[in-house]
Amino acid sequence: MSETQGLRVLIVDDELLARERVRDLLARHTDIQIIGECANGFEAAAILECARTDLLFLDVQMPEADGFAAIEKVRADRLPYIIFITAFDQYAVRAFEINALDYLLKPFDRARFDKAIERARNAINTRKDESLRHKIIQVLECVKTQNAHIERLIVKNNGHIAFVKTEEIDWIESEGNYVRLHTGKESHLLRETITALENCLDPKKFLRVHRSTIVNVDRVKELQSWFHGEYKIIMQNGAELMLSRNYRDRLIEFVGRNL
């Protein structure tokens, strides 16, 4: 594609207002031609197969067929450069960042939008990334797991098997290759590393506050200032845990966002 031809753009989002927002922001870019708008992945796949598309604005979550469903139906040689539109929080967004795929986190402003457009122009005018499909598949797997968090853990001890619901866990501490699950007055030792368990828990409910500690944020009573930028976490059951400086911003942002 040469610059004189202009970018051929397809907008895919189930929300009319969201499509209008993208269309309005594109209006000032004179080298862009909007070839269509779709409300689901099926419609998008049909257009991508028959019409040359240079740039795709693609909503991740849509009813009927989401953005990834559209991608899966399109041949690799027909895939355009993609700017994902997502309402996912910061945890899922990491999947896009790790795989170097551009995204717009709703709600986005003109400055962020224009930056994405400029990045798309540069990528398209050089050469298409041959690993694009692989990157998209990686993101798909990461995003899908956001809604597949474990709800219970099976703990084996001396021939007994205990079923522990994750919602009943107050906090978790690392003990080498094991973790101890604190649930009220009881605790359970599980053969699992704290990092592996963290990846299986819902990040909207469980947060790492120390390299050896994860807390259920619903069970946090208060934070108290401590030395050297650290904090004490006071749990509802009276337990006192340390919030490391390395994890402080994550918890404070979470609490501030949900108060």
Side-chain angles (χ1 to χ4, degrees), residues 7-211:
L7 291 177
R8 292 169 57 86
V9 175
L10 177 63
I11 304 170
V12 185
D13 197 309
D14 64 303
E15 298 178 359
L16 175 60
L17 290 178
R19 297 199 302 272
E20 291 178 346
R21 172 66 172 162
V22 173
R23 192 190 321 128
D24 290 344
L25 291 174
L26 286 172
R28 63 198 298 259
H29 295 275
T30 57
D31 65 327
I32 286 179
Q33 174 190 357
I34 300 175
I35 65 170
E37 297 181 18
C38 303
N40 62 63
F42 293 135
E43 296 175 1
I47 292 178
L48 290 172
E49 281 294 341
C50 65
R52 196 201 90 219
T53 307
D54 301 308
L55 177 59
L56 174 63
F57 285 91
L58 184 64
D59 188 12
V60 175
Q61 275 189 313
M62 294 181 288
E64 296 186 41
D66 62 19
F68 292 111
I71 294 169
E72 290 172 338
K73 294 180 179 297
V74 178
R75 301 194 315 269
D77 62 334
R78 303 294 298 183
L79 273 179
Y81 185 88
I82 301 173
I83 298 177
F84 291 95
I85 302 174
T86 176
F88 283 121
D89 61 21
Q90 59 180 324
Y91 301 98
V93 159
R94 289 177 188 169
F96 296 97
E97 295 173 338
I98 290 171
N99 288 279
L101 295 174
D102 208 357
Y103 66 92
L104 293 171
L105 184 61
K106 296 179 179 180
F108 48 85
D109 57 21
R110 180 178 295 278
R112 178 65 183 88
F113 184 89
D114 288 346
K115 182 178 179 180
I117 289 291
E118 186 61 28
R119 183 177 178 181
R121 283 199 187 96
N122 292 335
I124 295 168
N125 286 325
T126 52
R127 62 181 180 84
K128 184 179 292 186
D129 190 343
E130 295 178 355
S131 63
L132 177 61
R133 178 172 287 275
H134 174 72
K135 290 180 177 180
I136 291 171
I137 291 173
Q138 291 292 104
V139 170
L140 174 59
E141 293 303 316
C142 291
V143 172
K144 280 183 175 179
T145 60
Q146 296 297 312
N147 297 319
H149 306 296
I150 55 176
E151 297 181 354
R152 63 175 54 83
L153 295 165
I154 299 175
V155 181
K156 300 178 181 179
N157 182 30
N158 295 328
H160 296 279
I161 299 178
F163 294 86
V164 180
K165 293 182 178 180
T166 55
E167 64 184 16
E168 297 175 351
I169 298 174
D170 297 317
W171 58 287
I172 302 166
E173 65 176 325
S174 174
E175 294 189 10
N177 290 325
Y178 290 78
V179 291
R180 186 168 295 279
L181 314 174
H182 294 269
T183 58
K185 296 181 179 180
E186 298 182 348
S187 68
H188 306 270
L189 195 61
L190 176 67
R191 185 175 177 81
E192 186 64 89
T193 65
I194 193 167
T195 298
L197 184 57
E198 179 188 16
N199 292 332
C200 296
L201 295 170
D202 187 346
K204 295 180 180 179
K205 296 181 180 179
F206 290 89
L207 286 181
R208 188 87 168 260
V209 297
H210 191 277
R211 61 189 178 90

Side-chain angles (χ1 to χ4, degrees), residues 238-251:
E240 297 184 0
L241 310 173
M242 292 306 302
L243 170 61
S244 168
R245 285 183 299 174
N246 294 333
Y247 295 91
R248 180 184 61 187
D249 292 344
R250 187 187 300 185
L251 180 58

